[in-house]
Amino acid sequence: MKNFSISVCYFHLNQTLAEPPDRVSPTADFIWENLIKLSEKLPFTELKDFKSQLVCYEFDEESQAFKHQTKTLNLINQWLTKEQQPIALTAIHKNQLAISGNLQPFLLHDTYAFDLTLSPADDDRDVAAAEIDLFEPSSLFLECSENTLGETIWLYGQTEIPDTECQGVADELVINLLKKTNFTFGLVAQGNLLKVPLFE
């Protein structure tokens, strides 16, 4: 499968109705802690010191920790990176596969969100369904708290097989994605977007 990628979209409230306007929820950091923890399985250096790249944090010398900047609570629908650009993840190597990616953190009203996309560093590299293990798929199912709004994982790939055979490829991909998790496989719906088969 060519042009293969896995995208993880995750949404988490940074404020609830219980918080005053100048304060974030006590669990607001949870979304970013998930990403830092992910670096244990996918050791991208950019994930390990992730908070230093976000406008919503500043380093507090006294406590030697990153703390929320309350002025960022006035932002609406903003990039959270200081450069207002995605964070390019330097390639890591898993067996014979170099994996790169990018991370896009956002503030959407009262919600922190990110889009993490992983793909082979070599665009021409074919990825077989069995190689999904190299992307550490079980670690992409991130932890949830009471303020977590949800997570969506997208798999994308291009094949040269007829559309009628794509269901089998999609099934194989999802089975491999869920192999080391507690989730079970089941087709919810299927359709087409711009003549591209989609499976949920």
Side-chain angles (χ1 to χ4, degrees):
M1 186 173 317
K2 293 192 181 302
N3 295 318
F4 179 78
S5 67
I6 297 179
S7 292
V8 179
C9 299
Y10 189 91
F11 305 90
H12 187 83
L13 288 172
N14 76 335
Q15 275 187 312
T16 66
L17 294 175
E19 275 79 48
D22 63 341
R23 214 172 281 163
V24 296
S25 166
T27 63
D29 288 352
F30 191 81
I31 184 172
W32 315 127
E33 297 299 335
N34 259 321
L35 282 172
I36 293 166
K37 188 175 179 182
L38 181 59
S39 70
E40 295 169 10
K41 294 283 189 176
L42 293 166
F44 292 107
T45 54
E46 295 82 4
L47 293 183
K48 293 176 185 176
D49 67 343
F50 180 63
K51 285 185 181 178
S52 67
Q53 302 174 63
L54 298 178
V55 296
C56 52
Y57 289 97
E58 60 187 349
F59 190 73
D60 180 61
E61 294 289 344
E62 188 176 319
S63 65
Q64 291 293 297
F66 284 96
K67 293 192 173 180
H68 267 99
Q69 293 189 55
T70 53
K71 65 182 179 184
T72 58
L73 294 175
N74 297 323
L75 298 175
I76 297 175
N77 303 342
Q78 296 269 341
W79 281 93
L80 287 177
T81 55
K82 291 177 179 172
E83 295 79 24
Q84 302 289 289
Q85 295 286 326
I87 298 169
L89 303 178
T90 306
I92 58 172
H93 291 81
K94 293 281 197 170
N95 291 352
Q96 304 299 315
L97 180 65
I99 300 172
S100 63
N102 73 55
L103 175 61
Q104 302 176 57
F106 298 99
L107 175 65
L108 306 169
H109 297 288
D110 60 356
T111 302
Y112 283 148
F114 69 75
D115 176 340
L116 171 67
T117 299
L118 306 173
S119 59
D122 177 2
D123 293 337
D124 296 327
R125 167 73 151 78
D126 278 342
V127 174
E131 290 182 294
I132 286 185
D133 276 353
L134 299 176
F135 291 86
E136 298 289 344
S138 62
S139 64
L140 299 177
F141 292 86
L142 303 174
E143 293 181 28
C144 297
S145 83
E146 66 276 5
N147 287 358
T148 302
L149 299 178
E151 176 181 8
T152 300
I153 298 178
W154 290 86
L155 301 176
Y156 175 81
Q158 294 177 331
T159 67
E160 295 181 0
I161 62 174
D163 287 357
T164 54
E165 296 175 28
C166 287
Q167 172 73 60
V169 174
D171 290 350
E172 190 179 357
L173 285 169
V174 173
I175 288 167
N176 281 287
L177 178 77
L178 301 178
K179 192 165 30 178
K180 295 177 184 174
T181 72
N182 295 325
F183 296 99
T184 55
F185 165 72
L187 180 66
V188 175
Q190 66 183 77
N192 284 278
L193 177 64
L194 303 175
K195 299 184 180 178
V196 175
L198 297 175
F199 303 94
E200 178 183 358

